[in-house]
């Protein structure tokens, strides 16, 4: 979701931590299914912790998405976090 209140929810914070912890593994995978396996693993981890992947309805409210949509959301989140992750590494290397 978008916006500070949604981003600060504990589940979304844990989700971003999972992405950061698995970013290297995701980036090392080829396009022939390896990235999808990492995304599926993240979906499984979120669900095992009681989390869900939700979509906001136009009429208001939220609905849980199917497995394929959840994997697509995770893959998109990996791509979106790529810049944040690389900037963090760059700052770390410049201070070390």
């Amino acid at each position: 979701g978008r916006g500070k209140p949604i981003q600060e929810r504990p589940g979304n914070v844990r989700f971003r931590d999972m992405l950061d912890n698995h970013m290297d593994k995701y980036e090392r995978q080829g396009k022939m299914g390896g990235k999808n396996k990492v995304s599926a693993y993240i979906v499984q981890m979120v669900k095992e912790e009681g989390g869900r992947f939700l979509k906001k309805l136009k009429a208001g409210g939220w609905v849980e998405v199917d497995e394929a949509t959840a994997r697509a959301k995770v893959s998109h989140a990996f791509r979106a976090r790529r810049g944040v992750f690389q900037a963090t590494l760059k700052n770390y290397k410049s201070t070390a």
Side-chain angles (χ1 to χ4, degrees):
R2 298 172 89 170
K4 190 172 181 175
I6 292 173
Q7 290 298 317
E8 290 179 347
R9 294 189 57 83
N12 289 329
V13 172
R14 281 193 312 270
F15 175 63
R16 286 192 306 275
D17 287 344
M18 284 181 194
L19 294 176
D20 291 347
N21 290 334
H22 292 84
M23 181 64 75
D24 288 341
K25 186 175 186 180
Y26 182 82
E27 291 295 327
R28 283 193 309 261
Q29 300 302 313
K31 292 184 178 183
M32 303 303 289
K35 290 184 187 235
N36 285 333
K37 288 179 183 178
V38 176
S39 294
Y41 177 71
I42 297 293
V43 169
Q44 178 186 350
M45 284 180 26
V46 168
K47 289 185 175 187
E48 285 175 359
E49 290 186 8
R52 301 174 293 163
F53 289 87
L54 304 173
K55 175 182 175 181
K56 189 167 187 167
L57 299 173
K58 290 181 182 179
W62 297 85
V63 64
E64 190 168 355
V65 299
D66 60 35
E67 195 80 16
T69 304
R71 283 193 312 271
K73 282 177 164 261
V74 171
S75 294
H76 181 265
F78 268 123
R79 291 189 303 273
R81 297 282 302 161
R82 185 179 288 149
V84 173
F85 192 74
Q86 289 173 346
T88 302
L89 282 176
K90 184 178 179 180
N91 288 338
Y92 176 76
K93 287 178 182 179
S94 68
T95 59

